[in-house]
Amino acid sequence: MPKTVRLRPQAILLWTCVALLGAAGWAMVALARGEEISAIWLVAAALGSYAIAYRFYSRFIARRVLKLDDTRATPAERLEDGVDYHPTDRRVLLGHHFAAIAGAGPLVGPVLAAQMGYLPGTIWIVGGVIFAGAVQDMVVLFLSMRRDGKSLGQMAREEIGKVGGIAALVAVFVIMIILLAVLALVVVNALAHSPWGTFSVAMTIPIALFMGFYLRVFRPGRVTETSFIGVALLLLAIVGGGWVQDSPALAEAFTWSPTTLVFCLVGYGFVASVLPVWMLLAPRDYLSTFMKVGTIGLLALGVLVAAPVLKADGISDFASSGAGPVFAGSLFPFLFITIACGALSGFHALVSSGTTPKLIQKESQVRLIGYGSMLMESFVAIMALVAASVLDPGLYYAMNAPAGVLGGTAESAAQAVANFGFTITPEQLTAAAQAVEEETLIARTGGAPTLAVGMSEIFSQVFGGNGMKAFWYHFAIMFEALFILTTVDAGTRVGRFMLQDMLGNVWKPMGRVNWKPGVWIASAVVVGAWGYFLYAGVTDPLGGINQLFPLFGIANQLLAAVALTVSTTVLIKSGRARWAWVTAAPLVWVTAITFTAGWQKIFSDDPKIGFFAQRAKYADGIEAGTVLPPAKSMDDMHTVVTNSTVDGVLIAIFLLLVAIVIVNAIVVCVRALRSPEPLPTTEVPHTPSRIDVSAPERSPEPAGARG
């Protein structure tokens, strides 16, 4: 039984103050009606809640539920091979894990969900991460670490059973390919024809390689020293990107087309998947984390100094009507599908059962890396929501409503926004675009441009005034691309692990992560799969990944349902049934969300929501000889019909596969509860650890480096 630790009076006072700060923030955010409030209160509510949750709830999970044991050797220590298994300093691993999970979701989802008001999104982001998202990441990381770093799908097969396991393996792998292609498409759109962004992001690769060799070969264990050098080089690369953009010759060399970027991404993803993790992936993600955390921290500082007012409604009319111009659907369930990363994201479970469990030094670090990283990402989502909510609503809807609704001119866009119930003049739209040196901001959908404009609005109030808006806007665009790319490279490696686990059930050599032919074949298949959908999407506005993009939100949350199902099942099987509510409660919630959303996507008679209703609408248009937007020709009309049919069928298949997993897990859990002894699990036996992390600046020399 863990020893009870009593708080000292000073600690009680400190945590009481933190709790009061968070409570004050929540009171201002939740109770203010009809008056403007400062974004500072939203930030205070989030930070106060995160501090309390990490100090108390994550500690409860670590000590009572998981019973972390530092005397037990982790897979990184027992199986160290210098390629995939490698004991990694907790600071570097925290950076790698955070960079791997923090992709487009925490930046884009909250921006889009701002159409429902800032209050619902804030509650879901903060409450969701504390009781669902961070719990999932932490528990899955622990379970995978206790099973030699097995992937989520393989753990499902071994712990739930053959039927549910096969369903999980297929669903998880297919969904992951879709997610990777969507994330890669966001990177391509952000970097295409942007010499500044392309140069800065490309330079992080040689910098990361230098850091990897410096930390492993030249100055082993000198993490702080390496960090200072890496950050200095990163800042130089960012400044250099501005020089490149201003140089006609260099700008032309780094102005790449979307097709060129696709091939570069595919090649980079393959290399990052097969190289030793210490050489490129971990140091690059660690380096990127400085950029990510630094920028978000700077944005938070800007909010504290400028104290911008939240101009969005607390709860908008679109939350109940479901007729929002940004996306259709009511608050439940579609808010919880739109905001995934930052609150609860199934993709994180793939990383927590992919690279990270093979790199962690000590079990106690699961709390910092699993729970702590997710809190960091949640704060990113809060800052993205703030950036969208401080914009004038007229500009927000002019940027995020579809082009077919807004029209192609400032006058038509202003009229369309007026029809939504908001006001903005054509002159204001033109001035907003000129301020950030863009030709137009009309119908710049997807969330990323809106976030960049919001960030430039906050930064310019503190650093440089209105004359710096264009600089901060383009800086934010580059920042978003760097943010997302780290998820693509880590995700590709995770996909390789998953495919090897899957094929290893058929042919044992493929399941060995140190078998070179298997590593290369699996990596090629993964990058080839998402690369195909990406290339088709770039060359055809209605094809490739564009066809599957509508599945992104539900598919991601279905992964979370699988992860929480596996977590709950293992807790019950291993004799921890009294604590199973920790993962079972968020499992019930996310299952209700995803299956409700899936049902509406399949059976709704609203063409803006239901896939088959949309199919019927465009099929009727074809029969009548009418071309409906976004189609521009009759061929496009046929493509939309095909896309709607494929999306509807796929979402039905995904729901069926996840239902099989859940039902199979319920059977196993009932059997475990009725059994007088805990059911056997695939947890590896206890092996004493020899790693000493008491001196953090000098990590032990990895076994692979000794002669």
Side-chain angles (χ1 to χ4, degrees):
M1 180 68 67
K3 182 180 177 181
T4 301
V5 179
R6 295 185 179 276
L7 291 176
R8 293 174 296 177
Q10 301 94 317
I12 294 175
L13 178 62
L14 171 64
W15 290 109
T16 300
C17 292
V18 171
L20 290 174
L21 175 64
W26 280 115
M28 290 298 297
V29 171
L31 300 179
R33 290 292 181 269
E35 69 236 37
E36 295 180 338
I37 68 168
S38 171
I40 292 177
W41 292 111
L42 197 151
V43 174
L47 290 178
S49 301
Y50 297 152
I52 295 294
Y54 184 79
R55 172 60 180 81
F56 295 101
Y57 193 49
S58 71
R59 185 174 182 177
F60 159 74
I61 296 172
R63 291 167 58 85
R64 297 286 183 177
V65 182
L66 304 182
K67 297 181 180 179
L68 302 178
D69 182 6
D70 274 351
T71 68
R72 187 184 189 115
T74 65
E77 179 180 357
R78 291 186 292 101
L79 306 175
E80 202 276 330
D81 60 6
V83 179
D84 295 312
Y85 293 89
H86 175 63
T88 304
D89 185 280
R90 67 184 183 280
R91 292 162 291 179
V92 176
L93 186 55
L94 176 67
H96 160 70
H97 185 78
F98 171 72
I101 65 173
L107 297 176
V108 174
V111 173
L112 300 179
Q115 81 160 1
M116 293 188 174
Y118 60 79
L119 183 57
T122 301
I123 294 173
W124 169 232
I125 290 170
V126 178
V129 72
I130 290 172
F131 297 108
V135 172
Q136 171 204 258
D137 294 11
M138 181 179 178
V139 175
V140 170
L141 175 57
F142 168 79
L143 298 180
S144 179
M145 180 188 64
R146 285 281 180 97
R147 287 156 180 78
D148 289 342
K150 290 288 179 62
S151 67
L152 176 64
Q154 187 63 23
M155 285 195 294
R157 188 182 187 279
E158 294 177 351
E159 298 291 351
I160 294 178
K162 189 173 183 179
V163 175
I166 292 175
L169 282 168
V170 173
V172 169
F173 185 75
V174 174
I175 291 173
M176 184 174 193
I177 295 300
I178 295 174
L179 300 185
L180 287 174
V182 168
L183 294 171
L185 180 64
V186 178
V187 175
V188 169
N189 290 338
L191 294 183
H193 310 297
S194 173
W196 184 5
T198 301
F199 174 82
S200 299
V201 171
M203 286 304 297
T204 61
I205 298 174
I207 295 173
L209 288 169
F210 167 77
M211 290 177 64
F213 280 98
Y214 191 89
L215 192 57
R216 183 177 174 87
V217 179
F218 305 125
R219 301 278 285 175
R222 299 288 184 176
V223 177
T224 303
E225 182 180 314
T226 309
S227 300
F228 277 117
I229 297 173
V231 170
L233 293 174
L234 175 63
L235 294 175
L236 184 61
I238 295 171
V239 174
W243 298 337
V244 167
Q245 182 167 272
D246 294 335
S247 170
L250 291 175
E252 183 178 356
F254 284 94
T255 302
W256 296 353
S257 68
T259 304
T260 301
L261 285 167
V262 168
F263 288 111
C264 290
L265 277 179
V266 168
Y268 169 72
F270 178 81
V271 171
S273 178
V274 300
L275 283 181
V277 70
W278 61 265
M279 187 181 297
L280 176 61
L281 192 65
R284 188 187 178 284
D285 289 351
Y286 177 60
L287 181 67
S288 300
T289 296
F290 281 101
M291 173 69 174
K292 295 178 178 183
V293 174
T295 301
I296 294 301
L298 195 63
L299 185 60
L301 178 63
V303 169
L304 294 177
V305 174
V309 170
L310 297 173
K311 296 180 181 178
D313 293 330
I315 302 177
S316 74
D317 294 337
F318 300 130
S320 56
S321 70
V326 179
F327 63 91
S330 57
L331 190 150
F332 181 87
F334 290 103
L335 172 77
F336 309 100
I337 298 298
T338 304
I339 300 179
C341 297
L344 170 65
S345 170
F347 180 82
H348 296 185
L350 304 183
V351 179
S352 292
S353 61
T355 54
T356 308
K358 300 176 178 66
L359 303 175
I360 197 164
Q361 289 177 320
K362 289 290 187 181
E363 287 199 354
S364 60
Q365 296 170 3
V366 165
R367 181 186 177 204
L368 170 67
I369 295 166
Y371 202 95
S373 292
M374 186 56 189
L375 292 182
M376 291 165 58
E377 192 196 64
S378 182
F379 188 61
V380 172
I382 285 292
M383 297 312 300
L385 183 61
V386 167
S389 299
V390 300
L391 292 179
D392 182 272
L395 178 59
Y396 172 84
Y397 288 105
M399 293 186 67
N400 289 283
V405 175
L406 294 170
T409 66
E411 289 74 16
S412 64
Q415 182 57 51
V417 170
N419 294 336
F420 303 150
F422 303 97
T423 303
I424 191 168
T425 66
E427 292 75 21
Q428 288 173 322
L429 280 173
T430 302
Q434 291 175 345
V436 295
E437 296 181 6
E438 287 283 351
E439 292 184 9
T440 181
L441 291 177
I442 298 172
R444 295 294 300 274
T445 57
T450 303
L451 175 61
V453 171
M455 290 175 66
S456 70
E457 185 74 26
I458 295 172
F459 281 144
S460 63
Q461 293 183 40
V462 183
F463 309 103
N466 289 336
M468 288 289 288
K469 274 190 176 181
F471 170 84
W472 289 120
Y473 172 84
H474 291 285
F475 173 85
I477 291 292
M478 185 274 296
F479 158 76
E480 292 170 21
L482 178 63
F483 215 106
I484 299 163
L485 183 59
T486 54
T487 305
V488 176
D489 56 21
T492 300
R493 197 179 190 99
V494 170
R496 188 253 287 181
F497 291 145
M498 191 183 307
L499 184 58
Q500 285 190 269
D501 279 347
M502 189 186 307
L503 297 178
N505 294 313
V506 181
W507 189 39
K508 293 297 183 185
M510 281 298 299
R512 300 201 305 264
V513 294
N514 58 356
W515 188 53
K516 295 297 184 185
V519 170
W520 287 61
I521 292 170
S523 298
V525 170
V526 172
V527 297
W530 65 255
Y532 165 76
F533 288 112
L534 176 62
Y535 179 79
V538 165
T539 55
D540 180 3
L542 295 176
I545 194 54
N546 297 307
Q547 178 186 39
L548 303 176
F549 195 93
L551 301 175
F552 181 84
I554 296 178
N556 186 50
Q557 300 303 64
L558 284 172
L559 279 183
V562 173
L564 290 167
T565 299
V566 172
S567 300
T568 304
T569 303
V570 175
L571 289 179
I572 293 175
K573 286 180 64 178
S574 59
R576 298 180 173 94
R578 63 180 298 194
W579 307 120
W581 58 267
V582 170
T583 54
L587 169 60
V588 171
W589 174 249
V590 75
T591 301
I593 291 169
T594 50
F595 278 75
T596 301
W599 179 271
Q600 292 187 25
K601 282 293 186 180
I602 295 171
F603 296 106
S604 174
D605 56 5
D606 184 350
K608 294 181 179 179
I609 298 176
F611 290 131
F612 292 109
Q614 184 182 70
R615 180 193 186 281
K617 175 183 176 180
Y618 281 82
D620 292 342
I622 293 173
E623 187 175 345
T626 305
V627 176
L628 305 173
K632 297 180 180 179
S633 65
M634 198 53 68
D635 287 341
D636 287 351
M637 292 285 290
H638 286 282
T639 301
V640 172
V641 169
T642 301
N643 290 355
S644 301
T645 305
V646 170
D647 288 342
V649 171
L650 281 178
I651 203 66
I653 292 174
F654 290 157
L655 290 172
L656 176 61
L657 290 173
V658 174
I660 292 172
V661 174
I662 294 174
V663 170
N664 199 167
I666 291 174
V667 172
V668 173
C669 290
V670 170
R671 190 166 67 244
L673 291 172
R674 290 178 175 177
S675 174
E677 298 292 334
L679 296 183
T681 71
T682 56
E683 181 174 299
V684 298
H686 181 285
T687 301
S689 174
R690 297 182 179 180
I691 288 183
D692 179 15
V693 293
S694 57
E697 183 56 43
R698 276 199 164 276
S699 302
E701 186 180 22
R706 293 193 289 268

